[in-house]
Amino acid sequence: IGMHSAWKQQSLLFEACDYWNEHGAVQLCFDALNSAAQSPPLAQKNQFDLILNVAQAHSANPIALSSLELHLSAHLSSPKLEMIRQTTKALALPTTAACVAVVAHHLCDSVEQIDYSVTKAESAEFGPIAFDILDSDIKFPSNRESHIQAVLLGDPSKCGQLYSSLHQHLSLLAQSGRIAYVVRLADLTSLHSHTHHSRPVMLQGYAVELQIKNMEYSVLDDRKLDPGSDLGDTVADDENESEVDLEGFHFGRLMQRRPDKVRELREFRQKLLAAANQQDDDISVWKIKDLGLQAAARVMQAKDGLSIFKEISGNFPIWATSLGRKKVPEELQTELRINQRYMVPGQSIVTLNGLPINTAST
């Protein structure tokens, strides 16, 4: 079972450019964007091949290539690119073009408009559109500084020659020091449409644990007991009585069949317990040889083993006689012999569902 994100997958080309921009390889970003603009519309697989070709042309380091492939396969830049998309969408740019340049607060979709906007900006005539530069924008390397900002938006794999021509002209202006040129990784076509056709991102390192709950009904004794009588014992005591075979009597079963004789049955049970306690001194040595195994077998065969374990542990001398007559199953004896091969005398081991638990750290 996998978990998907609330945001959609972004362009692999944009993710690779964001990766290179974070690692200071800005030239790789512009090479990849320019190559994509000069190619026909690219699918994700073709974008991946183009990215690898650009990366291999600059470096043959297998570790760097593996790191890039891992970054792209996990879509680690998708959250940031979605943030850029939402930030750009909030600007509500008055255009439906797939590729546009914002130069000195003017929208430009041609080289002529770029030159006109730069000239107006140099004469301090600015338009009405406010456009802030983000830290994630890719800055074109230039040795000269300028106060005139130019931002190129669009997906080069969808804009083609228009993106390439705008990029080439903005690069020349940046090299001459007339503008400060940056590229924003925002697909304008996804901003104009009401639906985003990409698939959600499958989150890496997350999974869903499926827990199965037992929905079987259990029968509970909801009889109303008289507070003034001596029958106000807990339900656990009744369960213990139904589990314990005392001198061949199943008192829980007898009480269910004869609810009118509950008081007498309890009194008879107490007498048997007292008689068994008086006979403890007469237990033979050979009868107590396997008393621990016999107690373990009694607990394992009970429906509510924890309650029986608590009863026998708290009143072991009382139950010693009846336990001494119990036959230990062959399976339990075999398991004990196997466990003794892996344990040293005096060692204690706790297992849960067959897995050992370190009692020193829990």
Short mmCIF file of all heavy atoms in Angstrom, two decimals, residues 1-38:
data_model
loop_
_atom_site.label_atom_id
_atom_site.label_comp_id
_atom_site.label_asym_id
_atom_site.label_seq_id
_atom_site.Cartn_x
_atom_site.Cartn_y
_atom_site.Cartn_z
N ILE A 1 0.86 -1.18 0.00
CA ILE A 1 0.00 0.00 0.00
C ILE A 1 0.89 1.23 0.00
O ILE A 1 1.77 1.34 0.85
CB ILE A 1 -0.93 0.01 1.23
CG1 ILE A 1 -1.81 -1.26 1.20
CG2 ILE A 1 -1.82 1.25 1.23
CD1 ILE A 1 -2.69 -1.38 2.40
N GLY A 2 0.69 2.12 -0.93
CA GLY A 2 1.51 3.32 -1.03
C GLY A 2 0.72 4.56 -0.63
O GLY A 2 -0.50 4.57 -0.56
N MET A 3 1.46 5.63 -0.36
CA MET A 3 0.85 6.90 0.00
C MET A 3 1.21 7.93 -1.06
O MET A 3 2.36 8.01 -1.49
CB MET A 3 1.34 7.37 1.38
CG MET A 3 0.91 6.48 2.51
SD MET A 3 1.44 7.13 4.11
CE MET A 3 0.48 8.66 4.17
N HIS A 4 0.23 8.71 -1.49
CA HIS A 4 0.44 9.73 -2.51
C HIS A 4 0.32 11.11 -1.89
O HIS A 4 -0.38 11.32 -0.89
CB HIS A 4 -0.58 9.57 -3.65
CG HIS A 4 -0.40 8.33 -4.45
ND1 HIS A 4 -0.90 7.10 -4.05
CD2 HIS A 4 0.23 8.09 -5.64
CE1 HIS A 4 -0.59 6.19 -4.95
NE2 HIS A 4 0.09 6.76 -5.92
N SER A 5 1.02 12.05 -2.50
CA SER A 5 1.04 13.41 -2.00
C SER A 5 -0.19 14.17 -2.48
O SER A 5 -0.92 13.73 -3.38
CB SER A 5 2.30 14.13 -2.47
OG SER A 5 2.29 14.25 -3.88
N ALA A 6 -0.40 15.36 -1.89
CA ALA A 6 -1.50 16.22 -2.32
C ALA A 6 -1.13 17.02 -3.57
O ALA A 6 -2.01 17.57 -4.22
CB ALA A 6 -1.90 17.17 -1.19
N TRP A 7 0.15 17.10 -3.87
CA TRP A 7 0.58 17.84 -5.06
C TRP A 7 0.87 16.86 -6.21
O TRP A 7 0.96 15.65 -6.02
CB TRP A 7 1.83 18.66 -4.75
CG TRP A 7 3.01 17.87 -4.29
CD1 TRP A 7 3.97 17.28 -5.05
CD2 TRP A 7 3.34 17.53 -2.93
NE1 TRP A 7 4.88 16.62 -4.27
CE2 TRP A 7 4.52 16.76 -2.96
CE3 TRP A 7 2.76 17.81 -1.70
CZ2 TRP A 7 5.11 16.26 -1.80
CZ3 TRP A 7 3.35 17.32 -0.55
CH2 TRP A 7 4.52 16.56 -0.62
N LYS A 8 1.01 17.42 -7.40
CA LYS A 8 1.19 16.61 -8.61
C LYS A 8 2.67 16.55 -8.99
O LYS A 8 3.49 17.33 -8.53
CB LYS A 8 0.39 17.20 -9.76
CG LYS A 8 -1.10 17.37 -9.46
CD LYS A 8 -1.79 16.05 -9.24
CE LYS A 8 -3.28 16.24 -9.05
NZ LYS A 8 -4.00 14.96 -8.86
N GLN A 9 2.97 15.56 -9.84
CA GLN A 9 4.32 15.46 -10.37
C GLN A 9 4.63 16.65 -11.27
O GLN A 9 3.77 17.14 -11.98
CB GLN A 9 4.49 14.16 -11.17
CG GLN A 9 4.48 12.90 -10.33
CD GLN A 9 4.74 11.66 -11.16
OE1 GLN A 9 5.12 11.75 -12.32
NE2 GLN A 9 4.54 10.50 -10.57
N GLN A 10 5.86 17.10 -11.20
CA GLN A 10 6.30 18.23 -12.01
C GLN A 10 7.18 17.73 -13.16
O GLN A 10 7.52 16.55 -13.24
CB GLN A 10 7.07 19.23 -11.15
CG GLN A 10 6.30 19.72 -9.94
CD GLN A 10 5.07 20.52 -10.30
OE1 GLN A 10 5.06 21.24 -11.29
NE2 GLN A 10 4.02 20.41 -9.49
N SER A 11 7.55 18.65 -14.01
CA SER A 11 8.41 18.31 -15.14
C SER A 11 9.77 17.82 -14.65
O SER A 11 10.38 18.42 -13.76
CB SER A 11 8.57 19.54 -16.04
OG SER A 11 9.60 19.34 -16.97
N LEU A 12 10.23 16.71 -15.23
CA LEU A 12 11.56 16.20 -14.87
C LEU A 12 12.65 17.21 -15.22
O LEU A 12 13.66 17.31 -14.52
CB LEU A 12 11.82 14.87 -15.58
CG LEU A 12 11.10 13.63 -15.04
CD1 LEU A 12 11.50 12.41 -15.86
CD2 LEU A 12 11.43 13.41 -13.58
N LEU A 13 12.42 17.96 -16.28
CA LEU A 13 13.39 18.98 -16.68
C LEU A 13 13.51 20.05 -15.59
O LEU A 13 14.61 20.47 -15.23
CB LEU A 13 12.96 19.61 -18.00
CG LEU A 13 13.84 20.72 -18.55
CD1 LEU A 13 15.24 20.19 -18.87
CD2 LEU A 13 13.21 21.36 -19.77
N PHE A 14 12.37 20.47 -15.04
CA PHE A 14 12.38 21.46 -13.97
C PHE A 14 13.03 20.89 -12.71
O PHE A 14 13.76 21.59 -12.00
CB PHE A 14 10.97 21.93 -13.68
CG PHE A 14 10.42 22.91 -14.68
CD1 PHE A 14 9.13 23.38 -14.60
CD2 PHE A 14 11.22 23.36 -15.73
CE1 PHE A 14 8.63 24.27 -15.53
CE2 PHE A 14 10.74 24.26 -16.66
CZ PHE A 14 9.43 24.71 -16.56
N GLU A 15 12.77 19.63 -12.42
CA GLU A 15 13.35 19.01 -11.22
C GLU A 15 14.86 18.91 -11.35
O GLU A 15 15.59 19.14 -10.37
CB GLU A 15 12.73 17.63 -10.98
CG GLU A 15 11.26 17.67 -10.59
CD GLU A 15 10.80 16.38 -9.95
OE1 GLU A 15 11.62 15.73 -9.28
OE2 GLU A 15 9.62 16.02 -10.12
N ALA A 16 15.34 18.56 -12.54
CA ALA A 16 16.78 18.50 -12.74
C ALA A 16 17.42 19.88 -12.62
O ALA A 16 18.49 20.04 -12.02
CB ALA A 16 17.09 17.89 -14.11
N CYS A 17 16.76 20.90 -13.18
CA CYS A 17 17.30 22.27 -13.07
C CYS A 17 17.33 22.73 -11.62
O CYS A 17 18.28 23.40 -11.19
CB CYS A 17 16.46 23.21 -13.92
SG CYS A 17 16.66 22.96 -15.71
N ASP A 18 16.31 22.40 -10.86
CA ASP A 18 16.31 22.77 -9.44
C ASP A 18 17.44 22.06 -8.71
O ASP A 18 18.09 22.65 -7.83
CB ASP A 18 14.96 22.42 -8.82
CG ASP A 18 14.89 22.78 -7.35
OD1 ASP A 18 14.85 23.98 -7.03
OD2 ASP A 18 14.89 21.86 -6.51
N TYR A 19 17.68 20.80 -9.05
CA TYR A 19 18.77 20.04 -8.43
C TYR A 19 20.12 20.68 -8.75
O TYR A 19 20.96 20.89 -7.87
CB TYR A 19 18.72 18.59 -8.91
CG TYR A 19 19.89 17.75 -8.49
CD1 TYR A 19 19.93 17.15 -7.23
CD2 TYR A 19 20.97 17.54 -9.35
CE1 TYR A 19 21.00 16.37 -6.84
CE2 TYR A 19 22.04 16.76 -8.97
CZ TYR A 19 22.05 16.17 -7.71
OH TYR A 19 23.14 15.40 -7.33
N TRP A 20 20.34 21.01 -10.01
CA TRP A 20 21.61 21.63 -10.41
C TRP A 20 21.77 23.02 -9.80
O TRP A 20 22.87 23.41 -9.40
CB TRP A 20 21.69 21.71 -11.93
CG TRP A 20 21.93 20.40 -12.59
CD1 TRP A 20 22.71 19.37 -12.13
CD2 TRP A 20 21.40 19.94 -13.84
NE1 TRP A 20 22.70 18.32 -12.99
CE2 TRP A 20 21.90 18.63 -14.08
CE3 TRP A 20 20.57 20.50 -14.80
CZ2 TRP A 20 21.59 17.90 -15.20
CZ3 TRP A 20 20.25 19.77 -15.93
CH2 TRP A 20 20.75 18.48 -16.14
N ASN A 21 20.68 23.77 -9.72
CA ASN A 21 20.75 25.11 -9.14
C ASN A 21 21.13 25.05 -7.66
O ASN A 21 21.91 25.88 -7.17
CB ASN A 21 19.39 25.81 -9.31
CG ASN A 21 19.44 27.27 -8.90
OD1 ASN A 21 20.43 27.96 -9.13
ND2 ASN A 21 18.37 27.75 -8.28
N GLU A 22 20.62 24.07 -6.94
CA GLU A 22 20.97 23.92 -5.53
C GLU A 22 22.44 23.52 -5.35
O GLU A 22 23.04 23.86 -4.33
CB GLU A 22 20.07 22.87 -4.87
CG GLU A 22 18.64 23.33 -4.64
CD GLU A 22 17.84 22.30 -3.89
OE1 GLU A 22 18.33 21.15 -3.73
OE2 GLU A 22 16.72 22.63 -3.44
N HIS A 23 22.99 22.81 -6.32
CA HIS A 23 24.37 22.36 -6.23
C HIS A 23 25.34 23.29 -6.97
O HIS A 23 26.51 22.92 -7.18
CB HIS A 23 24.50 20.94 -6.79
CG HIS A 23 23.85 19.90 -5.91
ND1 HIS A 23 22.50 19.70 -5.87
CD2 HIS A 23 24.39 19.01 -5.02
CE1 HIS A 23 22.21 18.73 -5.02
NE2 HIS A 23 23.33 18.30 -4.49
N GLY A 24 24.88 24.46 -7.37
CA GLY A 24 25.77 25.44 -7.98
C GLY A 24 26.12 25.19 -9.43
O GLY A 24 27.00 25.87 -9.97
N ALA A 25 25.47 24.25 -10.09
CA ALA A 25 25.75 23.96 -11.50
C ALA A 25 24.74 24.70 -12.37
O ALA A 25 23.89 24.09 -13.05
CB ALA A 25 25.73 22.46 -11.76
N VAL A 26 24.81 26.03 -12.36
CA VAL A 26 23.82 26.84 -13.06
C VAL A 26 23.93 26.66 -14.58
O VAL A 26 22.92 26.66 -15.29
CB VAL A 26 23.98 28.32 -12.67
CG1 VAL A 26 22.98 29.19 -13.42
CG2 VAL A 26 23.83 28.50 -11.17
N GLN A 27 25.14 26.50 -15.08
CA GLN A 27 25.33 26.37 -16.52
C GLN A 27 24.61 25.12 -17.05
O GLN A 27 24.09 25.13 -18.17
CB GLN A 27 26.83 26.29 -16.85
CG GLN A 27 27.12 26.37 -18.34
CD GLN A 27 26.59 27.65 -18.97
OE1 GLN A 27 26.75 28.74 -18.43
NE2 GLN A 27 25.93 27.50 -20.14
N LEU A 28 24.58 24.07 -16.26
CA LEU A 28 23.86 22.86 -16.66
C LEU A 28 22.37 23.16 -16.84
O LEU A 28 21.72 22.60 -17.74
CB LEU A 28 24.05 21.75 -15.63
CG LEU A 28 25.40 21.03 -15.62
CD1 LEU A 28 25.48 20.07 -14.46
CD2 LEU A 28 25.62 20.31 -16.92
N CYS A 29 21.82 24.02 -15.98
CA CYS A 29 20.40 24.36 -16.08
C CYS A 29 20.09 25.01 -17.43
O CYS A 29 19.15 24.60 -18.13
CB CYS A 29 20.00 25.31 -14.94
SG CYS A 29 20.28 24.66 -13.28
N PHE A 30 20.89 26.02 -17.80
CA PHE A 30 20.62 26.73 -19.05
C PHE A 30 20.90 25.86 -20.27
O PHE A 30 20.22 25.98 -21.29
CB PHE A 30 21.44 28.02 -19.09
CG PHE A 30 20.95 29.06 -18.13
CD1 PHE A 30 21.58 29.27 -16.92
CD2 PHE A 30 19.83 29.81 -18.43
CE1 PHE A 30 21.12 30.23 -16.04
CE2 PHE A 30 19.37 30.78 -17.55
CZ PHE A 30 20.01 30.99 -16.34
N ASP A 31 21.88 24.96 -20.17
CA ASP A 31 22.13 24.05 -21.29
C ASP A 31 20.95 23.11 -21.50
O ASP A 31 20.53 22.85 -22.65
CB ASP A 31 23.40 23.24 -21.03
CG ASP A 31 24.65 24.10 -21.13
OD1 ASP A 31 24.55 25.24 -21.62
OD2 ASP A 31 25.73 23.63 -20.69
N ALA A 32 20.41 22.60 -20.40
CA ALA A 32 19.27 21.69 -20.52
C ALA A 32 18.03 22.41 -21.01
O ALA A 32 17.29 21.89 -21.86
CB ALA A 32 19.00 21.03 -19.16
N LEU A 33 17.77 23.62 -20.50
CA LEU A 33 16.60 24.39 -20.94
C LEU A 33 16.71 24.74 -22.42
O LEU A 33 15.72 24.65 -23.17
CB LEU A 33 16.46 25.65 -20.10
CG LEU A 33 16.10 25.44 -18.61
CD1 LEU A 33 16.18 26.76 -17.86
CD2 LEU A 33 14.72 24.82 -18.47
N ASN A 34 17.90 25.14 -22.87
CA ASN A 34 18.09 25.49 -24.27
C ASN A 34 17.97 24.28 -25.18
O ASN A 34 17.39 24.35 -26.28
CB ASN A 34 19.45 26.16 -24.45
CG ASN A 34 19.58 26.88 -25.78
OD1 ASN A 34 18.62 27.47 -26.26
ND2 ASN A 34 20.76 26.81 -26.38
N SER A 35 18.45 23.12 -24.72
CA SER A 35 18.33 21.89 -25.52
C SER A 35 16.88 21.46 -25.65
O SER A 35 16.44 21.02 -26.70
CB SER A 35 19.17 20.77 -24.88
OG SER A 35 20.54 21.12 -24.85
N ALA A 36 16.13 21.61 -24.55
CA ALA A 36 14.71 21.24 -24.60
C ALA A 36 13.92 22.17 -25.50
O ALA A 36 12.98 21.75 -26.19
CB ALA A 36 14.13 21.26 -23.18
N ALA A 37 14.30 23.46 -25.52
CA ALA A 37 13.59 24.42 -26.37
C ALA A 37 13.81 24.15 -27.84
O ALA A 37 12.95 24.44 -28.68
CB ALA A 37 14.02 25.84 -26.01
N GLN A 38 14.96 23.59 -28.20
CA GLN A 38 15.28 23.31 -29.60
C GLN A 38 14.81 21.93 -30.05
O GLN A 38 15.06 21.53 -31.18
CB GLN A 38 16.78 23.44 -29.81
CG GLN A 38 17.32 24.84 -29.58
CD GLN A 38 18.82 24.93 -29.70
OE1 GLN A 38 19.48 23.94 -29.97
NE2 GLN A 38 19.36 26.14 -29.51
#
